Amino acid sequence: MMEMFSEIIAIFNRWNKKLLRQPILIFFNLIQPLVWFLLFTQAFSAIGNIPTFKLLTGTSSYITFFTAAVIIQTIASSALSAGIGVVTDFDSGFMDKMRVAPINKSSILFGRLFSAALTTILQVMIILVIGFALGVTIASGVIGIVIILILAALFGIAWSGISLFIALTTKNQEITLSVGLLTTFPLLFLSASVMPLGLLPDWVQQVAKVNPFTYIAEAVQSLIIKGFVWQKIEYALIAIVIIGAVSLGASIMVFRKKIS
């Protein structure tokens, strides 16, 4: 177990070093949340004036409500990069070296996943700082912020499994990126992330109720707006466990076949 842990740390450090050597990628990772905050909240700020908005959400500030959507979109984008990075390793021949290396092959995936989780945590911290600058307050305080970061990291790992599965199956960056984008944005807008459920059309509400983004969004929104609504947090954790069990299980199975 300790040997596998050391292997995961080594792969984890490798990915972090690769990120630090790409300052332009770091720049876009930092600027993306700011663009989302400024563009979308300014374009849809009038939503907060809808009479039932405060009744449904607990706040009349659309920026405060929309913070959860920015966090989820950022997590999904970061998770997408996990799969693309693995395709790059196959193309560069790195995986050929790992195939003959005397290490547990699962360590390669877990090292990548934990690196993506760290990136996600840093991005969410930046989002919260931007939110504070724009007047967002966290009703659940410091403990709530910690819970938001934990949920973000866990959801990032679980969602990364989907991009990893696509990447390992296709070994194609374009397909991985296309499928990732085609799933992320529809799921985001067909959830309670951008608009409270009560203001969505009936058919969208039905989709949102089986959409995992809804449960993550409602947990984060409750921590930001209302405080500790433990049922929302429990539902978010259940959604994360289900997604992670399916996506990571499938990814590990495919990866072992590809690298054996």
Side-chain angles (χ1 to χ4, degrees):
M1 182 62 69
M2 288 302 297
E3 184 177 341
M4 182 176 178
F5 180 75
S6 299
E7 295 166 357
I8 291 173
I9 293 297
I11 301 296
F12 170 82
N13 289 333
R14 170 186 176 261
W15 282 106
N16 292 337
K17 289 177 181 177
K18 286 188 68 173
L19 180 62
L20 291 174
R21 290 169 184 166
Q22 302 177 69
I24 187 65
L25 184 58
I26 296 175
F27 171 77
F28 281 112
N29 284 336
L30 297 180
I31 203 69
Q32 178 181 270
L34 181 60
V35 172
W36 268 73
F37 255 127
L38 295 181
L39 290 183
F40 277 82
T41 55
Q42 291 304 307
F44 300 107
S45 59
I47 293 174
N49 298 327
I50 297 174
T52 55
F53 183 82
K54 185 174 183 178
L55 180 65
L56 291 169
T57 64
T59 180
S60 58
S61 170
Y62 185 69
I63 292 177
T64 300
F65 175 82
F66 190 72
T67 301
V70 180
I71 289 174
I72 291 174
Q73 190 276 334
T74 302
I75 293 171
S77 296
S78 182
L80 182 60
S81 68
I84 294 175
V86 170
V87 174
T88 302
D89 276 351
F90 274 105
D91 292 341
S92 67
F94 178 79
M95 285 300 178
D96 293 331
K97 298 177 182 178
M98 290 294 99
R99 183 178 285 113
V100 296
I103 66 172
N104 189 308
K105 301 305 183 281
S106 297
S107 300
I108 302 171
L109 281 188
F110 284 116
R112 179 67 186 110
L113 288 169
F114 292 150
S115 175
L118 176 61
T119 302
T120 296
I121 290 173
L122 294 175
Q123 288 178 315
V124 172
M125 290 174 66
I126 292 168
I127 291 169
L128 293 175
V129 170
I130 296 171
F132 292 147
L134 295 175
V136 176
T137 57
I138 309 295
S140 53
V142 176
I143 296 176
I145 293 174
V146 173
I147 294 176
I148 289 172
L149 294 176
I150 292 172
L151 288 175
L154 293 176
F155 184 53
I157 291 173
W159 203 255
S160 293
I162 297 176
S163 72
L164 284 174
F165 177 77
I166 298 168
L168 291 168
T169 303
T170 65
K171 289 187 180 180
N172 186 290
Q173 291 190 31
E174 289 77 12
I175 294 176
T176 302
L177 179 61
S178 297
V179 174
L181 293 175
L182 286 173
T183 54
T184 297
F185 286 99
L187 285 174
L188 185 68
F189 286 97
L190 293 174
S191 72
S193 305
V194 178
M195 192 76 69
L197 282 178
L199 295 180
L200 293 171
D202 290 340
W203 73 270
V204 178
Q205 290 186 36
Q206 298 307 312
V207 175
K209 289 177 182 177
V210 295
N211 184 344
F213 280 27
T214 292
Y215 299 100
I216 309 302
E218 289 185 337
V220 175
Q221 288 161 359
S222 67
L223 288 165
I224 294 174
I225 299 170
K226 299 177 180 178
F228 299 102
V229 183
W230 295 110
Q231 186 181 50
K232 299 289 186 184
I233 297 171
E234 289 172 5
Y235 287 162
L237 289 173
I238 291 171
I240 289 170
V241 169
I242 293 173
I243 295 169
V246 174
S247 66
L248 296 178
S251 296
I252 292 172
M253 182 174 64
V254 173
F255 182 70
R256 286 176 174 171
K257 290 181 180 179
K258 296 288 184 180
I259 205 170
S260 61

